[in-house]
């Protein structure tokens, strides 16, 4: 499929899940089981579409690298077993590793806790021309920390600052931070992979039953399911307060992994294509230098 056709298809597929202004967003507006216009009978067609998307993304990533003006930051947030790792693996499978970097953020270290909560993410930001991927991010501070506020006690935050407005302040800080990055040429796309509680249960059971996947399972995963409703409330409020035109959230149905990956790839392609990327244009002097170099190389063979 031609790149221009891939770009149009990508825009049409991803736009229903893009939240430009989150104020009125409701999580139940997105069905985790949604497959768009695809059905199980069309799953193979979706696979072909993803393959086209991966090829198109590879071309756009090469142009991003050569253009060397923008950076692309992809943020993935989700409940456990929603498919973050698989989405990153499959969608980015055609991207040149030299132009891409992945940072995974788990529980903060002692060094992390001696800094502000943005610090460990800030030092992992991608350079111009590169794609940076955050597998979890500073958004954990308004998700797991909000669901388990006792975590704040370990963050060395002065007591007067741990008031009732702490979450509102963090939303404001995050939006301001992302505006700052946008104003410096960092394009931000944020993906919440929205998996249903039922599907998460099924995936957990598969991890337990499959020895090759046992390592992915933790008893803590089951414990966190007890807080499901609180997490859903936290995710909804996160989108409501931090989804902006500059840094939109994509709330992606995640019960069907093949569809999740297609939507994520489509959103990235749509965003990169909107940048009007181009390869560097050679000036007259540079073209003359290239011609001189060509003649010197040809003369080595006696031409």
């Amino acid at each position: 499929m031609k790149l221009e056709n891939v770009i149009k298809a990508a825009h049409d597929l991803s736009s229903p899940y893009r939240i430009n202004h989150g104020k009125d967003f409701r999580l139940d507006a997105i069905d985790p089981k949604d497959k768009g216009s695809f059905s199980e009978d069309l799953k193979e067609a979706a696979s072909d579409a993803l393959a086209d998307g991966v090829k198109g993304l590879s071309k756009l990533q090469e142009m991003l690298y050569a253009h060397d003006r923008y950076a692309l930051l992809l943020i993935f947030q989700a409940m456990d077993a929603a498919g973050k790792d698989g989405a990153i693996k499959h969608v980015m499978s055609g991207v040149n590793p030299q132009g891409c970097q992945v940072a995974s953020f788990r529980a903060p270290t002692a060094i992390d806790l001696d800094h502000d909560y943005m610090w460990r993410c800030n030092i992992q930001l991608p350079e111009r021309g590169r794609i940076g991927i955050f597998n979890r991010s500073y958004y954990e501070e308004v998700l797991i920390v909000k669901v388990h506020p006792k975590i704040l006690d370990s963050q060395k935050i002065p007591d007067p600052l741990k008031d009732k407005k702490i979450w509102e302040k963090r939303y404001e800080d995050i939006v301001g931070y992302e505006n700052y990055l946008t104003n410096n040429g960092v394009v931000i796309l944020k993906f919440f992979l929205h998996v249903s509680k039922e599907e998460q249960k099924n995936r957990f059971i598969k991890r337990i039953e499959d020895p090759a996947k046992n390592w992915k399972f933790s008893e803590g995963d089951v414990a966190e399911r007890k807080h499901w409703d609180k997490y859903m409330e936290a995710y909804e409020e996160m989108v409501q307060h931090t989804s902006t035109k500059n840094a939109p959230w994509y709330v992606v149905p995640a019960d069907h992994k093949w569809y999740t990956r297609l939507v994520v790839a489509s959103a990235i392609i749509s965003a990169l294509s909107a940048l009007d990327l181009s390869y560097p244009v050679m000036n007259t002097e540079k073209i003359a230098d290239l011609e001189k170099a060509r003649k010197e190389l040809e003369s080595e063979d006696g031409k």
Side-chain angles (χ1 to χ4, degrees), residues 173-236:
D173 290 342
I174 288 171
V175 171
Y177 177 70
E178 291 177 345
N179 283 336
Y180 164 79
L181 294 179
T182 299
N183 291 338
N184 282 274
V186 180
V187 178
I188 305 171
L189 300 182
K190 303 175 294 192
F191 299 97
F192 167 45
L193 306 190
H194 184 25
V195 70
S196 67
K197 190 175 183 180
E198 177 186 8
E199 179 60 20
Q200 188 200 54
K201 175 183 175 180
N202 293 336
R203 293 180 186 179
F204 279 166
I205 291 175
K206 288 181 180 179
R207 289 181 177 183
I208 293 172
E209 294 177 342
D210 184 351
K213 294 183 178 181
N214 286 169
W215 65 274
K216 290 186 175 183
F217 184 76
S218 167
E219 292 182 4
D221 295 339
V222 175
E224 287 303 287
R225 277 176 62 83
K226 298 177 182 179
H227 304 284
W228 185 274
D229 290 343
K230 288 185 178 180
Y231 271 111
M232 294 303 103
E233 181 180 347
Y235 275 111
E236 183 175 83

Side-chain angles (χ1 to χ4, degrees), residues 234-249:
Y235 275 111
E236 183 175 83
E237 292 180 356
M238 172 194 75
V239 175
Q240 289 173 345
H241 288 87
T242 65
S243 203
T244 65
K245 186 177 180 181
N246 283 341
W249 275 104

Side-chain angles (χ1 to χ4, degrees), residues 18-30 235-244 251:
R18 177 183 172 123
I19 315 299
N20 285 328
H21 303 286
K23 182 179 179 181
D24 299 320
F25 172 75
R26 294 293 179 270
L27 194 55
D28 58 13
I30 305 294
Y235 275 111
E236 183 175 83
E237 292 180 356
M238 172 194 75
V239 175
Q240 289 173 345
H241 288 87
T242 65
S243 203
T244 65
V251 181

Side-chain angles (χ1 to χ4, degrees), residues 31-97:
D31 182 0
K33 295 179 173 58
D34 187 23
K35 301 189 292 289
S37 61
F38 293 93
S39 65
E40 291 300 326
D41 294 336
L42 294 173
K43 186 175 178 179
E44 185 175 343
S47 179
D48 291 340
L50 178 59
D52 288 335
V54 169
K55 291 178 182 177
L57 179 56
S58 178
K59 294 179 181 178
L60 289 167
Q61 182 266 333
E62 184 177 291
M63 293 177 68
L64 175 74
Y65 190 84
H67 195 77
D68 199 27
R69 291 294 183 273
Y70 294 99
L72 177 63
L73 175 61
L74 309 177
I75 295 176
F76 289 84
Q77 294 287 160
M79 296 293 285
D80 291 313
K84 297 189 306 300
D85 292 349
I88 294 169
K89 175 183 176 180
H90 286 80
V91 172
M92 308 306 292
S93 61
V95 171
N96 187 332

